[in-house]
Structure formats: C-alpha cells, structure tokens
Amino acid sequence: MASQQPINATLQRTLKWIVLLVISAVATTLLHGSLHAGQPHLYPSQYASTVTAPFNQPSYYPIMAQPPASYRPVGEWVGRLILPTVEQYQQMAQSTQETDWVWMEVEVAPADASNWVGQVVRLAWQPTPLAQAYVNKASRDVRFAPEVQKTLEAGILHPVRLNGRDRVGPLQSLAGARPFDDVTVVLRGDVQREDMEISIDDLSNHSSLNLPNNSPTLRIVREPVQETGRYYGLVQFVEPVLPDNAALPTQCPGSPPCTSDWMRVRHYNPVSRQFDGAEEIIRIPQQPQDKDGVYNMTTRDLAQSPTGEAGWYISGALDQAGVFTVQAMQPRSMVQLQPQQTVLGFRRGLDYINFRNWETVETRKGTIQTVLVDPTVNRSGDALVDWQEGERVLVMHLFGGRGGNHAAHESLILGTYAGHFSFGLGRVVRDPFTNDLIFDIDYLQVYGNGSDGTISGANTWRNYMGNLIRGKAGTRPVSDVLIKLDTLTEDYNFGGTRLSFFNELLGELSLIGARYRIGDGSGDSTITSATSCVQDSAQGLFLAMQRFRQTIEANPQVMEWMRANPNDPTTQRFRRLVKLGTDLANHLTPMGVVRWDWSQNAEVLMGVRSEDEQFISIDDFQIRNLLTGLISWRTALPRQAHDELSMLFLTNSAKLWFLRPNQIGGNDPGIEPLEATLAMGGWKLPFTQIPIFSVLINRTFGGVTIPTAIDWLITLAVLLGFGMLAFAITQTAYIASPLSSATPFLSWQPSPLPWHQSLLTLIRFLFVPALLKEYVFRVLLIPYPKPWVSTFTWWSWALLALGIYMVYHLLSARLRRSKAATSPILLVLVALLGLACTIAYRCTGSLWTITVIHWAAVSIWWLLLGGQQWHNAALRLAKP
C-alpha cells in the first residue's frame, strides 16, 4: 500500500498528458478542417507552383519525431502559426478585449515545457504598455483596394484571408499573410506561459475552439521571427546517393539526368574539430519550377561547391519515413569571423564600396567573398580585436538580379537593375557545434507583395536567404554589410537611465513591416515612386533616430546628468550619435526638406496625431508620389542607399564587414549573377568600373538641393565679397587696360535699354550664362560635397573644373573672334567669379545659390555698371 500513492500520481499525470494530446489533436483537426473548407483560389505563381509539393506541406513532418542528437533546435520556442476564425476573434474581444492573437502549433519547446510540443496554443501579447502600444499602432481594418484583384490574377500574393476583418494586428497579419497556414516562427525575448490544467471531468465541458481564452497561452513582448525548419545540424556533403526505393527527380535545372535528392553527409565532430562524425543519408528535395520555369534551388554539383568547404548548416525536420529532410541551408564559411580580405584605411574602404564590392560579379557565380573594412587600425591583426561575443551589428542587405540565358532571366533596363534593400540586426554568437564565434543575422524586411510568399517582418537568415522554396541565396547575388558602430549598437546608461537605439530601430522597422503585410489596410503594398523597400526602410531609420534623440533630449534627468558628466564615455558617445544623426538627416533628406509622409508618421508615433491616421503612403502612381520620392531621391534605388549609407557610416568610424554570396549552392547553368546598380549604373566607361551616367545623375540631383536660410546668407556674403574684390581689382587695374581710354570696366552707367528689354535680358542671363554654365562647370564636374569626399579630393576636382571653365571661355572667344572676351581684366574677373561660385557650392551644395551669384554678377555689371557700354567700346576698338 505504501507504493500505491506514487503509482496513482503517475497514472494521473499520464492520463492528463493523454487528455491534452487528444484535445490538441481534435483542435488541430477542426482548425485544419475549417481552413481547408474555404481555401482561396491560387493563381499561377512561384508560391502556387511549390506549395503543392508534399515535402513543402507541414503535415509531411510529424511533430513528435525527434532527430538524432547531432541536431539542435533552431530556437527555444518554435511553431507554426494558424489563423483563427473571425468568430474566435470576436469572442476573445468580448471576453478579454484582446484583438491580436493567433493559434500556434508548438513544434519545439524548452526542456521544462516539453509537454507543450504538439499542442495548439494561443500566441498573444503580454499586457505591457510598450507591447500594447505597438499592437495599437500596427492594427488596421483591412478592406482590399479595387486593384488587388488584378494583381492577384497576375500571380501576386495578398493576404486574402484577412480581407474584411477589423483591427488586424501584427500577429494576425503574420499568420494570414499567405493563403495557407505555413508560416513557421521562432519566439525571441521574454516568453511567458499560461498553463491550463485539464481533468477528466473538464473534458466533456471543454471547448477550446469555442472558448479560446481557456486554451494554454504563450505571451510575448516582441514580434515572432519567421523561421525555416525545427532542427539544424552542421554537416559536410559527401556525395549524392540513390536509395533502392527512391528515384531521380524528373525535372531540374540543366541537362538530364537530374542529381539525386538524397545526399550522404558527415556531421561535425566537436572533439576532433573535423567532419568525421556520424554519417547519415538525408534528403534535399528538388523544388518544383515556378510558372516561368525557374527553379529556386538544385543539388547539381552541390557536393563540389567551393562555398561548402567549411561545411553547411542544414535545417529541417524528420519526414514521415524518419529521414531528415532539408528545408534551408547556410554555408558556414560565410558567417565565420575569418574574413578572406581585410581592407584598412578610409580611402581604401571607399574604393572597395564604390568599385570592388560588385566588381566582375558575373564571374563570381557559386562563390562567397567576406571582406572586413576597418578605417581605424593600421594592421590586419588588430581589425578583429573588437569583434567579440555578444557584439551587435546593424545589417544592410542588398540583392541583385537573376541574369543568364534562362528564358525568364532578368536584365538591365536602361542600364539599371534595382534589386532589393532592407535593414537587419545581427549578433556575434558562440556556435553551439564548434564553439567558434559566428554571425547570427535577422533581417527586418520591408517587402512589397510578391509571388514567392516572402513576408515583411523579421526573418532569420535561414528563412529569407537559405529557404529552399523562396530563399535568395541560390538564385541572386547578395551584399550584406554588417555595421559595427557603438553609437548605434551599444545601449546607453545615463546614470541609471538605460536607453537603446538598437531596440528603437527594431520597433520602428517591425512596425513598418507589420503595416506592409496588410498594405496599411488596403491589402496592397504597391511599390511606387515614393514607397518601396528602400524608401520605407530609410524612413524607419530616420524615425528611429529622430525619436531616440527626442526621447533623450526631452528627459531633464538625462540632460542634467550629461551636463554634470561631460567627459563620461556615454556622454561622448551621445555627442557622436548627434553628429551621426545630423549626417543621416542630411543624407535622407537631400533636398533639405523632410518628406510630408515621414513628418506625419513621426507625429503619429510621438502621439501628436491620431493613431488612426495613415502611416505609410501606398497610393498608386501619382504626381504627388513622384515629387515625394524626389525629396528622398538618395534612397530611391537600393544600390545607392546601400553604398552611400555604407560610406556615411564609414565616415563616422564604423567597421564594415561585407558578406557577398553569389548564387551559392548547387549549380544552375541557366542563371548568372546580375549586379544591382545605381541609376544607369550598368553603363560604365570602357576598361573602368566608373558608371559615368550614374555619376552625372547623382551630381545633378545633388545640385538641385533646396537652400536653407543659412545657405542664402552664405550666398549673399559670397556675392558681396566678390563684388568688393572685383571693384578693388578693376579700380586698380583698368587704367593699364588697352580699353581704358574708351570707358572704365566698372562705373555707374545704367543701360539705355527700355525696361521691357532689360527684363528680357535679365531672364536670358538667368538661363544663359548663369544656370547653364554653373550646371556644366560646377555641378557636373565637381563631386557633390558629401562627408566622405575629402577636402583635398574635392578641391582638386574643383580647381580642375575652374581650369576647364577658363579654357572654355578662351576657346569660345576665339571661335566668336571676340577680342573683348579675352581682355585680361575680364579674364581675371571671370576666374574670380568662378572661384566665388566654387566656394559657394562647397558651402551650400546647391545649384540655385551659385546660379544666383553668377546671374547677379553678370546682370548688375551689364545693366547698371557699364558692362554693355564697355563691351560696345571694346568691339569698336577691336575693329581694324
């Protein structure tokens, strides 16, 4: 009898476990049944082509199947999101006022919560002020715009299951982003459990589907990160094999026969630190081609790929036959803290960004370049010292095109391929397999509606890049820049008040990504001249920086602490942040004007405007959008934002680590890497890497910057200084001029022309010579004065442009046979005017200010100071 009580307790726990499994199974069955009862129609697309393959469906992988010990979970909490019904949301809102939650089928859980695996639980937010404020800002009623049907028919995916729903929040938009419940996520940050005790007596009354608030619940404080696979391992591919009961794929890239799906691998051995661990035969299923005949991956030549020399991280799960089936891959060599090349020094760093990063990309297919750029040290060995475990980095992502001879290949249009841009956040972590330091990267995607099922929001590298269904690594060249800069990545401690720009940026970009998933309520995240991945990612950076500074400067305790501790490292770092913020603001608002939508969004986030007001501009093409896009033209194209922000951070002493995979993995002979370019950047000067048309376009747009009040004061000062110096020179030298007997060069002699002819002369002078010459000889010939352009370089180009300007003046005079134009005093004043305009351009960076100086100088001389009379007298004296 003494042992009977423990036995009964064991039986009760076992029975409770069985009951939970039964309830979970019933819930899962009913949930799946309700979803499949009214599935939306799928138009031809990459997603529609791949989702029907058995190995791409969640049911292909039993949840309770555990892989061998050589694999590890991809996270503590991993699960598949399931979209609740409208009725379930309504019931939850009535009972608990919660409007944003989803079902999650738990696939991986911590060891002390192993009984949660296999359950369908509620995933909801913690009731913290920050989390609830985020949900409120991200929630919108969804009513599809009329144009959505057209893009649906063209194969673009929209969140069709969310159409007509009210207050769609970030969790709901994530679960309902695709037509089926196939979004896997990993939970980060603080995760709280709300267990539910169920007894046999409760079973008959339990209705978890009708009363979701009675379900077990996981509560989170940050948005889940999209993930691929449940477990991952570190292996080396040995060779393809073909088991007796298997067959070769019938379709694949290249000429038949196809390579086998099955691969013999060796696991990494932490004892020997070699790939001499357990051997295993895994499956890497050949993905179907999409409607255009494009394959997202292939196993052809995969075992011989040079990117796999250091091994591959493979993630996936056991299939129904107990075979580990790969769903995503990542080359270890790319994330190791062992750069292939180290570039030291600021100037060499600029050269790498401008010319070397994408150099001859078409020849790099199947390779990876890892390059560390450090402007702060002189020796390569010193460049790695600061990259320690726990370090955080800001990530900038850019992908190029899928070129080659494939029938559906992408190509340059007017010498341009835009590509895609996003930010991300990374960490230096300890590899659990090797114990070495590696990079762990999450992208914060701002992604418009597409055909492959890529979803805006936080994505692991595995999910966004390595996913076999839609990942970019196998088909596109990519440039990821990891930015290490303490002003951005290290938290601030102002005498006990802790603040983090890193977290601020995470919140801003998560919010924009969530609003993108539902098209801010319209269901359509259309790419326009004013709205795109790069424009809105830049907006997130702009708003995060603005809000962070305002938060600090509005805190009297923090400001008082900094005044009392001016030499504290935190105070010094904040001052550097202010400088960086100014540089970023000048860069992201190059016209000198903050975009109207960015300004409105900042007010929405700060609580000045109603949260119900629109956050993202996603209208169709309109003149207003075009003009709005021009205001932030430096972020109009992904490549320009990627390169110029890299140079701006480098100017602020950042260390940059470039990761450059180029269509890595198996070999698809029909595709080649295609460079992401600047505007017309594909057209380069022969035998150089200089995109001459891009240079001219950038200088043109840079020059049309709208001057500030200070710029106009500088312009007035330069004009007055030129006038006084010109008067002094002419009064001293005109007696020695051959023309002095006719008339002095400068004297008060208003033009005898009628007022209407004088007005026409003023208008003509404004355009020719003022605007035309300043545009050609200053704006086009001189680099725009950006922080990363050194003073020596800038003035070298400026003086060269001034020399060309003088040569042009002389040649023009000879062609016109005008001896007056070659008068020594006139040549001196022309050179002086050119130098004055050069100084003004250096200070203001605006074509309009130097045009005004040139126009005012010529007009005043011609109409008021005897210029017309002097010119006529010179012509008379020049006649034989």
Side-chain angles (χ1 to χ4, degrees), residues 235-250:
V235 302
Q236 188 175 64
F237 298 140
V238 179
E239 60 180 352
V241 296
L242 189 63
D244 294 338
N245 60 345
L248 294 176
T250 57

Side-chain angles (χ1 to χ4, degrees), residues 611-804:
E611 293 177 351
D612 291 331
E613 294 200 37
Q614 187 174 2
F615 184 80
I616 317 174
S617 171
I618 53 172
D619 302 327
D620 291 331
F621 178 83
Q622 296 176 359
I623 294 298
R624 186 188 192 191
N625 274 352
L626 177 61
L627 295 177
T628 301
L630 290 177
I631 291 176
S632 57
W633 65 270
R634 287 195 178 277
T635 54
L637 285 178
R639 172 70 181 275
Q640 181 149 8
H642 174 276
D643 288 5
E644 293 198 351
L645 285 175
S646 295
M647 290 186 281
L648 188 147
F649 288 127
L650 192 71
T651 304
N652 284 268
S653 302
K655 307 171 192 295
L656 309 180
W657 199 305
F658 288 80
L659 307 180
R660 288 284 291 105
N662 299 280
Q663 293 179 340
I664 57 174
N667 177 31
D668 183 347
I671 63 174
E672 290 181 356
L674 181 66
E675 176 185 5
T677 71
L678 304 170
M680 298 186 181
W683 296 337
K684 299 174 182 174
L685 287 177
F687 311 109
T688 75
Q689 290 292 313
I690 301 175
I692 183 61
F693 292 106
S694 297
V695 171
L696 298 181
I697 290 172
N698 284 335
R699 291 183 180 182
T700 297
F701 276 104
V704 297
T705 297
I706 299 174
T708 64
I710 294 177
D711 292 334
W712 285 120
L713 288 176
I714 293 173
T715 301
L716 179 61
V718 171
L719 182 61
L720 291 176
F722 164 76
M724 290 187 292
L725 189 57
F727 182 78
I729 291 174
T730 54
Q731 291 302 307
T732 302
Y734 85 92
I735 297 176
S737 170
L739 300 177
S740 61
S741 59
T743 182
F745 190 86
L746 291 179
S747 61
W748 180 256
Q749 297 184 64
S751 172
L753 295 175
W755 71 268
H756 61 277
Q757 291 189 19
S758 296
L759 180 60
L760 290 175
T761 300
L762 285 173
I763 296 173
R764 177 168 64 88
F765 282 176
L766 177 63
F767 292 96
V768 181
L771 180 62
L772 179 61
K773 287 187 176 181
E774 292 308 314
Y775 172 66
V776 172
F777 294 106
R778 239 69 65 186
V779 173
L780 290 186
L781 294 185
I782 305 176
Y784 189 76
K786 298 298 293 181
W788 53 81
V789 179
S790 71
T791 301
F792 176 81
T793 299
W794 194 91
W795 276 107
S796 297
W797 280 101
L799 295 176
L800 176 63
L802 184 59
I804 295 174

Side-chain angles (χ1 to χ4, degrees), residues 402-417:
R402 189 185 61 239
N405 56 19
H406 192 283
H409 71 277
E410 298 169 342
S411 57
L412 300 177
I413 299 177
L414 294 178
T416 306
Y417 183 82

Side-chain angles (χ1 to χ4, degrees), residues 188 232 313 330-341 368-373 383-395 424-432 434-443 460-462 480-485 489 502 655-660:
R188 300 273 175 80
Y232 75 121
Y313 298 101
Q330 181 183 34
R332 176 183 168 220
S333 61
M334 195 187 70
V335 295
Q336 290 178 297
L337 267 69
Q338 299 174 8
Q340 298 171 357
Q341 179 185 358
I368 290 176
Q369 283 74 48
T370 57
V371 179
L372 173 58
V373 177
L384 287 172
V385 171
D386 291 334
W387 297 83
Q388 301 296 323
E389 184 176 4
E391 294 284 352
R392 299 186 297 187
V393 293
L394 176 66
V395 180
L425 304 176
R427 296 176 301 152
V428 178
V429 301
R430 189 71 61 178
D431 185 345
T434 67
N435 205 37
D436 295 332
L437 294 179
I438 60 172
F439 290 117
D440 181 37
I441 296 171
D442 289 340
Y443 297 105
T460 65
W461 194 100
R462 282 183 292 265
D480 282 341
V481 188
L482 279 53
I483 302 156
K484 187 178 183 302
L485 185 59
T489 57
F502 208 71
K655 307 171 192 295
L656 309 180
W657 199 305
F658 288 80
L659 307 180
R660 288 284 291 105

